[in-house]
Amino acid sequence: MNNLGFHYQFNNEEEVYRKIQSLLLNDTDNDVRRCAASVLGTRSKWLDSALLKALNSDPDELVRIAAFESLLQLAGVPAQIEFREAERAKIGEIKPTFEEIERIITECNRPPVG
């Protein structure tokens, strides 16, 4: 499961993205959804609709945090800041919300890429 989409090149990447988005939004296994969110952080584009939906409504907090971290990555936030903010979300210092993503981007003085 950990290799889901990270290291492969595909002939029809759009089909693969849709499948990974579907796993994020529909799979019953929290670990599969969390992994799918992480893959989208490396292989998708800023404001990926599945990541936004997971961020706002996934029932599992770790999946919401994975979507949060992936959106930070897609926004071009430096890796050390992305990691720090995800850790803060994991320990409850901040909530994994789009408002927090906007704050972090602003603090980094970085417009989102993509």
Side-chain angles (χ1 to χ4, degrees):
M1 176 174 26
N2 290 334
N3 292 326
L4 175 72
F6 279 108
H7 307 294
Y8 303 104
Q9 296 300 318
F10 301 101
N11 290 334
N12 186 348
E13 290 210 10
E14 188 61 35
E15 183 179 325
V16 174
Y17 290 137
R18 284 193 308 269
K19 177 63 176 173
I20 295 170
Q21 286 176 321
S22 178
L23 289 170
L24 172 58
L25 297 176
N26 301 308
D27 202 278
T28 58
D29 188 304
N30 295 342
D31 289 333
V32 170
R33 292 194 319 278
R34 185 172 35 83
C35 186
S38 296
V39 169
L40 290 172
T42 63
R43 303 292 294 261
S44 190
K45 296 180 179 104
W46 171 238
L47 294 181
D48 179 282
S49 61
L51 286 171
L52 289 169
K53 185 169 183 178
L55 175 70
N56 290 321
S57 63
D58 195 276
D60 184 80
E61 183 176 17
L62 291 178
V63 174
R64 291 191 308 274
I65 291 170
F68 174 79
E69 191 168 9
S70 287
L71 286 163
L72 289 174
Q73 183 175 5
L74 292 171
V77 170
Q80 68 273 21
I81 295 171
E82 171 198 327
F83 177 78
R84 180 191 71 210
E85 296 297 331
E87 290 301 308
R88 290 180 67 207
K90 288 174 188 171
I91 63 171
E93 276 185 28
I94 63 171
K95 297 284 185 194
T97 64
F98 193 74
E99 291 77 16
E100 285 293 335
I101 291 170
E102 289 176 318
R103 175 193 59 79
I104 295 162
I105 291 168
T106 301
E107 287 179 2
C108 291
N109 289 320
R110 298 179 79 87
V113 293

